[in-house]
Structure formats: C-alpha cells, structure tokens
Amino acid sequence: MTPTKRALITGITGQDGSYLAEFLLAQGYEVIGMIRRSSTVNFERIQHIQDKITLTTGDLLDEVSMINLLRESRPSEVYNLAAQSFVQTSWGQPVFTGETTALGVTRMLDAVRIVDPDIRFYQASSSEMFGKVVEVPQRETTPFYPRSPYGVAKVYGHWITVNYRESYDMHTSSGILFNHESPRRGLEFVTRKITNGVARIKLGLDRELRLGNLEAQRDWGFAGDYVKAMWMMLQQDRPDDYVVATGKTQSVRHFCELAFGHVGLDYSKYVVLDERFMRPAEVDLLVGDPTKARAMLGWYPETPFEQLVTMMVDADLALLKKQL
Ligand code: NAP
Ligand code: G4F
C-alpha cells in the first residue's frame, strides 16, 4: 500500500489555501494547515473541511514556530501560501509586508532546510513581480520590474526560493501565478469588491460602487484551477519555476460591464471613481504566457472568464440573500 502523503499549507485560511486543502484531500493527502494566533476565529473558508484537516499554530514572522511545526508534523510537501497579499496595503505597511511576504519565505525555507531538506517546497510567487512590464505576454524569462512594496517583497521571495534550490539542492519551485479569483476572494480585491457591490445594489442595499482605476488590465483565472498547478509542480522530478495564467487579459471596466450586466444593470450608472482607490504606482497590464506550464505540467485553465464573473456574482447574491 502507498503511504499517505502529508502536506503542510501555510495560509490555509486564505482563498488559495482553502482550495488547495480541498484538492489535496481529494488526492488522498493528510493536510496540515498552519494558522497564526488570532483573537477571533477566521475559518470561514475551511469550516466545511475542518474535521478532515489538522490545524497547528505558527507564524511566518517566527522561524522557531515553523521549525517546531515541521518537526511535529513531518510533511513531505510544503506549500507556502501565507503572505500580506493585498497590494494597496503594502504602501501603508511596507516593512511589515517585507517581513511577511519576503523574509517570511526565508524563514520557512530555512526551517525546511534545518528539519528535512528533502521536503518539497512551493512558493506562491506573483505576476506583480512583472509590474511595469518589459515584455508582453510575460513568461518565466521576462525581467521583473515590481511597482509596489508587495511586488518587491515577492521578487525577494522568488529569488530566495531559486537560491535555496541552487545553494542546497533542495526541491523548491516557484509558481508565478497571475490573478486568480473566486467567491472566496477577500472583499478588498477588485473582483470580489465588484461582485459583492453588484449583489448589494441589486438587492437594494447600496446605490453606488466606488472604484479606482478602471483601465487596469489583468489576466484573471479561477483559483480552483490554479491550485492544481501548485501540486503539479511538486510532482515533477526536477524543481522549476512556472507562469500560471490564462493568456488573456481584461480591464476592470470590462469586469464591471459583465458583472452588472449579469443582473440586468448598466455599470456606468452605479460605478463612481474614487481617488482613494488609485495607487501611487499602478500595474497597467498583465497577461501571462502559460506555454511552459502546459507543456511541462499538462496544466491548463478550465474556467472561462465570463463563467468566473457570473459564478462570483451569483455566489454573492446567494450569500447576501441568506443574511437578509
Ligand atoms: P489571502 O486570501 O490573502 O490569504 C493569505 C493567507 O496568509 C491567510 O491565510 C493569512 O492568514 C495568512 N497569513 C498572513 N500573514 C501571515 C503570517 N504572518 N503568518 C502566517 N500566516 C499568515 O491570499 P490568497 O489570494 O489566498 O493568495 C495566496 C498566496 O498567493 C499569497 O502569498 C499571495 O500573495 C499569492 N498570490 C495570490 C494571487 C491571487 O491572485 N490570489 C496571485 C499571485 C500570488 P489570516 O487568515 O490569519 O489572515
Ligand atoms: O484586485 P486587486 O487589488 O489585485 P492586484 O493588485 O492585481 O493583486 C492581486 O493579484 C496579484 C497577482 O498579480 C497577487 F499577487 C496579489 O496578492 C493580489 O491577489 O487590483 C487589481 C486592479 C489594480 O490595477 C487596481 O488598481 O484593480 C484596480 N482597482 C480599481 N479599483 C482596484 C479598485 N483594486 C482594488 N483592490 N479596489 C478598487 O476599488
């Protein structure tokens, strides 16, 4: 009988962590989730699988906590998804973002190196590293030009992952994931802000939706599809870096058009531009080239953009109706 594989996920309470946990459970894994201490419980995204996973406390800011956690749980794979992940917040909290999103990766990698360097490691890198893009579409070889403290922190996290691979011959892979969304997306990110806003307006709870730059373009996919690519990377004989994207880009304005249109509303009557949501330095256009992921991993995005938008609007409508 094949022994059960055991995986540790940092950031299990986040959007991606919850989908990855579901996916790994379905593959027969034992799943351990690292959670940080909090005065209130925030398990909304994992409560439906809570009896199937093990939750243990640890923090990216505290290396000893991760060494102890690895010693106790002995995973064969670590998925490092935890981060301060909201770009806008990174200008207000640049040092904290660096401590968590950049140095947190070194702490986790070092904990792995100390406890068991044979553990396979996945780092959640980001298309934000491409920032002011120097090539369209962006691929694994495109130079980075980050535009926010978050993007800068992710570049550090990416290179330290490459460095531990090269310095210690560890199986460390970096997934350069483009924006991926779902009904579990945090409410502050633009897609969920829009779909939640649409649902609130449709139900008469709000009259307008205040947004920033409507012309920004993103390569948006479905989070449920993207976590599969993370797992596929760690099943390869050799560690490597991969762009994970749809290869198509859409503007925030178009997202609004589709989301409002889905409930029979005209976005231009409800969306109000608000300077507070403009960024000091914007990432205007992201579009990834997922050719390598398709060729080497056999990964491809399964959910079309229009389906993603309607799925999110419908989920927000259902959620709000339940609360009314
Ligand atoms: P998310 O929903 O914001 O989740 C972030 C997770 O990190 C949460 O579970 C959070 O815990 C945890 N966390 C934050 N600081 C921590 C700390 N100091 N110690 C331990 N845990 C901590 O993010 P996501 O959208 O799932 O993204 C997952 C990862 O992929 C992140 O690294 C993100 O930067 C990266 N990424 C995301 C996208 C995307 O489009 N979603 C694209 C590229 C890369 P709490 O619940 O306690 O706050
Ligand atoms: O939804 P966003 O906040 O996502 P952003 O900045 O692209 O970052 C997300 O994707 C990255 C991958 O590329 C991840 F690494 C990162 O962790 C995160 O998940 O903003 C998307 C775009 C931006 O151009 C922003 O300026 O939407 C524009 N936008 C316009 N109005 C707005 C708003 N963004 C937010 N959050 N709120 C607005 O009102």
Side-chain angles (χ1 to χ4, degrees), residues 79-153:
Y79 295 85
N80 186 38
L81 310 187
Q84 190 302 95
S85 76
F86 189 42
V87 173
Q88 185 96 47
T89 290
S90 74
W91 278 285
Q93 300 179 15
V95 175
F96 173 72
T97 301
E99 281 290 350
T100 311
T101 305
L103 282 177
V105 188
T106 311
R107 294 190 190 96
M108 190 74 227
L109 278 166
D110 225 33
V112 168
R113 181 182 67 81
I114 290 165
V115 175
D116 177 3
D118 288 334
I119 293 173
R120 295 186 175 196
F121 179 88
Y122 171 85
Q123 167 57 16
S125 289
S126 165
S127 50
E128 275 291 307
M129 301 190 301
F130 297 122
K132 190 170 178 173
V133 300
V134 301
E135 183 179 33
V136 179
Q138 296 83 55
R139 45 179 71 94
E140 291 78 5
T141 50
T142 303
F144 300 137
Y145 190 154
R147 292 275 278 173
S148 62
Y150 169 83
V152 173

Side-chain angles (χ1 to χ4, degrees), residues 15 25 91 113 158 168 179 184 193 223 278 282 298 308 324:
Q15 171 189 254
L25 286 172
W91 278 285
R113 181 182 67 81
H158 173 79
Y168 304 113
N179 299 51
R184 297 184 200 167
K193 185 173 170 184
M278 299 289 184
E282 179 62 285
L308 173 66
L324 282 177

Side-chain angles (χ1 to χ4, degrees), residues 10-18 34-38 42 45 58-61 80-86 96 100-101 122-128 150 154 175-181 184-186 188-189 223 230:
T10 74
I12 195 162
T13 53
Q15 171 189 254
D16 291 7
S18 66
M34 184 180 96
I35 50 163
R36 55 178 169 168
R37 195 264 159 187
S38 148
N42 62 344
R45 296 181 176 110
D59 199 301
L60 282 185
L61 301 179
N80 186 38
L81 310 187
Q84 190 302 95
S85 76
F86 189 42
F96 173 72
T100 311
T101 305
Y122 171 85
Q123 167 57 16
S125 289
S126 165
S127 50
E128 275 291 307
Y150 169 83
K154 280 290 179 187
I176 307 174
L177 270 54
F178 282 62
N179 299 51
H180 43 280
E181 318 294 314
R184 297 184 200 167
R185 188 59 142 149
E188 69 273 41
F189 298 93
M230 300 174 184

Side-chain angles (χ1 to χ4, degrees), residues 61-77:
L61 301 179
D62 187 336
E63 185 166 338
V64 170
S65 72
M66 292 187 280
I67 291 174
N68 288 337
L69 201 158
L70 289 172
R71 282 198 177 128
E72 282 156 23
S73 56
R74 291 277 162 192
S76 52
E77 296 172 10

